[in-house]
């Protein structure tokens, strides 16, 4: 924490100066929020936030989320002023190519940025996930007399975040779970891009959050550092409820002619207005120059190092008494796999192959979860009110519940009917570190989750989405629930790995691929990312394989059944693999030899070397793809000369077997299509 004797007004004005100068130089950006929230930021960052600029990944740091990420110059100014590795040259390069100060904050780009924000409301969801991870880790690892997990999550939010529907989903759950170390500071300035929000956002926000079970602190003058500081300390004085601090502010505070208007929200002030603002503030420093006494007032390095050293001493004492728990905590916060994991998975896969069960792949997924969860205690499951359908629980798992004396530890979260909120919360859990979150819903409801899935892919976070009831196989629920376009749509998200397995063996391999993707912990972003598992409701037959073919599953696409002198290739995924195999047998009786390729993961297959791809899909052989979904995607693999057996319309309500026949997803239709391309 910083020097309390430094000039208070000047500290806040340093944020205003840097924000308006950087936006002006870039000729784009959002100066209004940083200028309006400067005192709120000062109160938090100089008097309450526990962090160490020299070690942004310190495990017990407070987490800070700028949910209204368009005001990114606020966090860049804070990181620079408090001593993070963000020199003034980077602020001068705001919004420029390859700078560390992109238009919206991005984790992995800027030291000290905890999550990528910009899509409004999602940062709030991430913050809930971080607070949830802290509460669960505390319940799991803290011991009497030894508290090694004890930090707060702070989020800044604006009117836009609270208008987004996701804010209801995540804040409702946060209140139910009593996440008392979550503190949200609401920049209540009454302005959005279109103007005064009273015409379209007249909610009684305080009553809304009280209804969620939050502690609400009303009527705080957001330009009074002492008042904001007192509110934050009041929030921290209790741990029974999350807290919303409502700070009344003026957007663009300090600008004589633009403060309080939407004109300052998302555009440079202009040279004349900047000059007028400097004069009004009494800020005489040149652009991008900060007086040394102001730097001294903001500097968080000494206090941060002291706080971390104090924690390290406590952790050392904990490790001396509980060495196994200390080692496990360290491993999980680093994101390392446990020793012996690979052997444990091989044993599970061998058992799967031996059993050769014909079950739905959603059930095969539950088998995998049950086998992996004891080996990976960081696995934290859940479902958006469909646990009994998604099979994301396992025998003996305890549910996460709010307790009278803190979080009741468990490894399964009932997210309620909150698909988008679940996805954003899982991102926050992954960003915090210590857990590997997975959550389930029906595939068709991936539409609700989609932007948070995209954000997980952008941030390279190890999150697993279990999407069951894929395509028309769910039957009688009809077209509202039949995911015709969803597999193809999700495959378009860069860095999202998608698996649509055909049986228990492919499902096991898919889960292994998901949990072993390199994790990204905080600012340390690796080449990992999220995984989506698309699973059937209906039973699918086990396909026998030799050892080499089993090994090939991990390649994403492989030859499942070959035929001497094959004249064509059938490519299939999921439930349609069995149809492809039946078509192969039928064609063989007619003297037509074809190869069947199972391609459970197109993105993994695409990453294989050219030799492997050629060995699986030889040039010159006509190709037919079959999948119970839209056909356009598959022309990438079959070409314009090939054919696709699929569905390019919405479904019908009927038993699954009747639907497959009605839509022509049959061995007869596939065999006929093969003959047409020959």
């Amino acid at each position: 924490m910083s020097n309390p004797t430094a000039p208070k007004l000047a500290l806040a004005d340093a944020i205003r100066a840097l924000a308006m100068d950087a936006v002006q130089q870039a000729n784009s950006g959002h100066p209004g929020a940083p200028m309006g929230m400067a005192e709120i930021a000062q109160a938090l960052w100089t008097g309450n936030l526990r962090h160490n600029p020299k070690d942004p990944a310190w495990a017990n740091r407070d987490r800070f989320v700028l949910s209204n990420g368009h005001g990114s110059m606020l966090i860049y100014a804070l990181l620079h002023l408090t001593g993070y590795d963000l020199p003034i040259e980077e602020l001068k390069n705001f919004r420029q190519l390859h700078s560390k100060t992109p238009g919206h904050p991005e984790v992995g780009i800027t030291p000290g940025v905890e999550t990528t924000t910009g899509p409004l409301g999602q940062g709030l969801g991430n913050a809930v996930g971080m607070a949830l991870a802290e509460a669960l880790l505390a319940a799991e690892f803290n011991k009497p007399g030894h508290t090694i997990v004890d930090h707060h999550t702070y989020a800044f939010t604006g009117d836009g975040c609270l208008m987004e529907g996701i804010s209801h989903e995540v804040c409702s759950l946060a209140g139910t779970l009593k996440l008392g170390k979550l503190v949200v500071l609401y920049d209540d300035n009454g302005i959005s891009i279109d103007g005064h929000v009273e015409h379209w956002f007249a909610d009684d926000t305080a009553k809304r959050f009280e209804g969620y079970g939050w502690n609400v602190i009303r009527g705080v003058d957001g330009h009074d550092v002492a008042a904001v500081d007192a509110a934050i300390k009041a929030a921290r004085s209790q741990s029974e409820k999350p807290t919303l601090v409502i700070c009344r502010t003026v957007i663009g505070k300090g600008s004589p002619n633009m403060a309080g208007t939407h004109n300052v929200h998302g555009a440079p002030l202009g040279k004349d207005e900047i000059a007028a603002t400097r004069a009004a503030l009494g800020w005489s420093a040149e652009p991008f120059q900060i007086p040394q006494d102001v730097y001294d007032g903001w500097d968080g390095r000494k206090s941060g190092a002291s706080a971390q050293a104090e924690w390290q001493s406590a952790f050392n004492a904990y490790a001396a008494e509980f060495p196994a728990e200390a080692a496990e905590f360290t491993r999980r916060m680093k994101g390392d796999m446990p020793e012996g994991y690979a052997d444990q998975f091989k044993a599970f896969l061998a058992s799967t192959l031996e059993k050769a069960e014909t079950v739905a792949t959603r059930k095969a997924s539950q088998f995998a979860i049950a086998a992996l969860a004891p080996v990976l205690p960081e696995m934290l499951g859940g479902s958006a009110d469909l646990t009994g359908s998604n099979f994301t629980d396992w025998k003996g798992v305890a549910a996460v519940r709010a307790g009278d004396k803190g979080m009741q530890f468990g490894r399964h979260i009932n997210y309620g009917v909150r698909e988008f909120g679940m996805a954003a919360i899982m991102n926050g859990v992954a960003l915090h570190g210590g857990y590997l979150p997975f959550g389930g819903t029906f595939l068709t409801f991936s539409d609700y989750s989609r932007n948070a899935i995209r954000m997980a892919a952008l941030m390279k976070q190890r999150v697993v989405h279990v999407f069951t009831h894929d395509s028309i196989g769910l039957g009688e629920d009809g077209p509202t629930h039949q995911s015709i376009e969803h597999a193809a749509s999700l495959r378009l998200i860069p860095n999202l790995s998608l698996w649509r397995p055909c049986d228990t063996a492919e499902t096991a391999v898919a889960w292994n691929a998901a949990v072993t993707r390199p994790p990204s912990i905080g600012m340390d972003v690796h080449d990992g990312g999220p995984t989506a598992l698309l699973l059937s409701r209906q039973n699918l037959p086990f396909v026998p394989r030799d050892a080499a073919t089993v090994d090939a599953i991990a390649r994403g696409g492989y030859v499942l059944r070959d035929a001497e002198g094959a004249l064509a290739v059938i490519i299939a995924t999921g439930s349609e693999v069995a149809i492809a195999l039946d078509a192969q047998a039928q064609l063989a009786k007619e003297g037509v030899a074809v190869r069947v390729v199972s391609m459970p993961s197109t993105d993994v297959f695409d990453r294989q070397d050219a030799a492997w791809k050629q060995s699986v899909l030889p040039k010159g052989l006509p190709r037919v793809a079959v999948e119970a979904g839209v056909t356009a995607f598959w022309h990438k693999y079959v070409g314009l000369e090939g054919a696709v057996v699929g569905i390019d319309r919405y479904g019908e309500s009927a038993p699954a077997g009747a639907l497959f026949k009605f839509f022509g997803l049959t061995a007869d239709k596939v065999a006929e299509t093969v003959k047409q391309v020959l």
Side-chain angles (χ1 to χ4, degrees):
M1 300 173 190
S2 302
N3 179 3
T5 63
K8 293 297 183 183
L9 182 61
L11 295 190
D13 288 343
I15 294 175
R16 295 188 172 96
L18 288 172
M20 62 185 180
D21 289 342
V23 171
Q24 182 67 27
Q25 181 147 311
N27 198 30
S28 76
H30 301 76
M35 295 175 72
M37 298 187 76
E39 282 84 13
I40 301 173
Q42 179 184 331
L44 176 61
W45 280 67
T46 67
N48 293 281
L49 189 71
R50 189 167 58 167
H51 64 116
N52 184 2
K54 288 301 182 182
D55 187 2
W58 170 33
N60 202 47
R61 69 192 182 277
D62 290 339
R63 270 62 171 180
F64 172 74
V65 174
L66 183 68
S67 188
N68 45 343
H70 55 271
S72 57
M73 266 310 302
L74 176 61
I75 193 168
Y76 298 149
L78 288 166
L79 295 171
H80 169 72
L81 291 167
T82 55
Y84 284 78
D85 184 17
L86 192 67
I88 196 69
E89 287 74 22
E90 292 292 347
L91 275 64
K92 293 178 181 178
N93 287 327
F94 179 54
R95 290 187 161 225
Q96 304 309 301
L97 185 64
H98 302 317
S99 76
K100 291 185 179 180
T101 50
H104 291 82
E106 295 184 41
V107 66
I109 300 296
T110 316
V113 169
E114 299 279 4
T115 181
T116 300
T117 55
L120 293 177
Q122 283 199 61
L124 194 51
N126 299 162
V128 171
M130 292 173 187
L132 175 59
E134 190 276 341
L136 289 172
L137 285 168
E140 184 176 1
F141 284 98
N142 289 348
K143 303 291 183 182
H146 295 275
T147 302
I148 62 164
V149 181
D150 181 16
H151 53 267
H152 284 75
T153 300
Y154 297 95
F156 283 1
T157 186
D159 292 304
C161 289
L162 298 188
M163 281 187 257
E164 290 285 0
I166 190 175
S167 70
H168 165 68
E169 295 185 27
V170 301
C171 293
S172 170
L173 185 59
T176 302
L177 293 177
K178 299 181 180 179
L179 298 178
K181 290 184 178 177
L182 173 63
V183 179
V184 176
L185 293 113
Y186 167 34
D187 178 34
D188 182 18
N189 62 32
I191 295 291
S192 67
I193 292 175
D194 281 355
H196 292 273
V197 301
E198 63 195 37
H199 303 295
W200 50 85
F201 184 51
D203 302 15
D204 189 328
T205 300
K207 287 184 179 178
R208 170 187 164 190
F209 275 77
E210 287 171 348
Y212 293 152
W214 283 53
N215 171 41
V216 177
I217 301 176
R218 307 170 181 234
V220 177
D221 181 352
H223 301 300
D224 183 335
V225 174
V228 178
D229 177 73
I232 295 171
K233 286 180 168 56
R236 290 170 49 194
S237 70
Q238 60 84 47
S239 59
E240 292 76 32
K241 298 179 179 182
T243 297
L244 179 73
V245 180
I246 302 177
C247 301
R248 187 64 184 173
T249 65
V250 176
I251 191 172
K253 173 76 172 177
S255 171
N257 302 301
M258 298 174 69
T261 74
H262 69 280
N263 297 323
V264 76
H265 171 88
L269 273 66
K271 292 182 179 179
D272 291 343
E273 187 63 16
I274 288 176
T277 303
R278 275 184 150 76
L281 296 174
W283 185 268
S284 58
E286 294 296 314
F288 298 107
Q289 290 186 6
I290 304 295
Q292 187 58 49
D293 64 334
V294 175
Y295 271 128
D296 293 341
W298 277 109
D299 194 349
R301 290 170 293 188
K302 183 177 179 179
S303 59
S306 176
Q308 184 170 354
E310 182 181 351
W311 176 84
Q312 188 62 53
S313 177
F315 184 80
N316 292 343
Y318 174 87
E321 189 169 347
F322 304 100
E325 289 85 348
E328 176 67 4
F329 178 80
T330 300
R331 177 190 73 78
R332 283 167 53 176
M333 292 305 292
K334 287 182 177 179
D336 294 339
M337 298 297 285
E339 186 176 349
Y341 168 79
D343 291 337
Q344 296 271 9
F345 173 72
K346 286 179 182 178
F348 165 63
L349 181 57
S351 173
T352 299
L353 296 170
E354 183 180 355
K355 291 177 181 177
E357 293 175 281
T358 291
V359 296
T361 50
R362 62 171 175 159
K363 189 63 178 178
S365 171
Q366 189 176 44
F367 294 159
I369 293 169
L372 297 179
V375 186
L376 296 172
E378 57 263 50
M379 287 181 68
L380 179 65
S383 176
D385 205 48
L386 289 168
T387 301
S389 296
N390 302 145
F391 296 159
T392 49
D393 59 350
W394 63 97
K395 186 176 180 179
V397 66
V400 172
R401 293 287 186 267
D404 293 335
K405 297 181 180 180
M407 179 65 69
Q408 180 178 314
F409 179 71
R411 294 174 64 190
H412 183 272
I413 302 168
N414 298 106
Y415 284 100
V417 187
R418 302 181 177 100
E419 295 87 359
F420 192 8
M422 175 178 71
I425 288 170
M426 288 197 296
N427 289 350
V429 170
L431 286 158
H432 180 281
Y435 291 106
L436 195 170
F438 65 94
T441 187
F442 290 170
L443 177 55
T444 191
F445 301 138
S446 64
D447 284 339
Y448 286 148
S449 312
R450 186 178 181 87
N451 200 258
I453 298 170
R454 179 180 185 271
M455 293 301 290
L458 177 61
M459 295 188 288
K460 301 182 178 180
Q461 292 304 301
R462 186 172 57 169
V463 174
V464 183
H465 291 272
V466 178
F467 293 128
T468 67
H469 294 59
D470 66 334
S471 196
I472 58 171
L474 66 90
E476 293 86 344
D477 279 341
T480 59
H481 286 52
Q482 290 167 5
S483 45
I484 303 303
E485 73 277 25
H486 297 72
S489 176
L490 289 170
R491 287 181 180 122
L492 297 177
I493 299 178
N495 203 42
L496 172 67
S497 191
L498 184 144
W499 289 78
R500 188 169 184 251
C502 76
D503 67 356
T504 55
E506 287 191 355
T507 305
V509 173
W511 261 107
N512 182 57
V515 301
T516 56
R517 287 197 83 180
S520 300
I521 305 301
M523 282 65 67
D524 185 13
V525 176
H526 302 280
D527 292 327
T531 301
L533 306 178
L534 278 51
L535 307 170
S536 73
R537 175 198 188 192
Q538 72 275 27
N539 288 346
L540 302 181
F542 177 82
V543 183
R545 303 166 177 82
D546 60 26
T549 308
V550 171
D551 290 342
I553 296 173
R555 300 265 204 156
Y558 63 102
V559 179
L560 179 60
R561 286 285 184 276
D562 213 350
E564 186 175 351
L567 301 175
V569 178
I570 303 174
I571 309 169
T573 76
S575 51
E576 289 70 70
V577 168
I579 296 172
L581 291 171
D582 288 345
Q584 181 192 44
Q586 181 174 317
L587 287 165
K589 293 178 181 178
E590 302 176 25
V592 180
V594 298
R595 165 184 289 186
V596 173
V597 167
S598 179
M599 196 176 289
S601 179
T602 58
D603 61 278
V604 172
F605 177 75
D606 289 346
R607 291 195 294 273
Q608 303 305 308
D609 57 45
W612 179 262
K613 294 177 187 176
Q614 170 65 17
S615 72
V616 175
L617 299 176
K619 294 178 181 178
L621 283 186
R623 303 168 187 173
V624 173
V626 52
E627 186 173 60
V630 293
T631 60
F633 171 84
W634 285 103
H635 285 282
K636 172 181 179 180
Y637 300 97
V638 304
L640 296 178
E641 299 78 16
V644 184
V645 178
I647 307 173
D648 285 318
R649 51 154 288 185
Y650 293 112
E652 298 281 347
S653 178
L659 291 174
F660 275 87
K661 291 180 181 178
F662 176 78
F663 285 110
L665 287 158
T666 64
D668 288 343
K669 178 62 178 293
V670 174
E672 176 188 338
T673 305
V674 169
K675 288 185 282 188
Q676 289 174 357
V677 301
L678 287 174

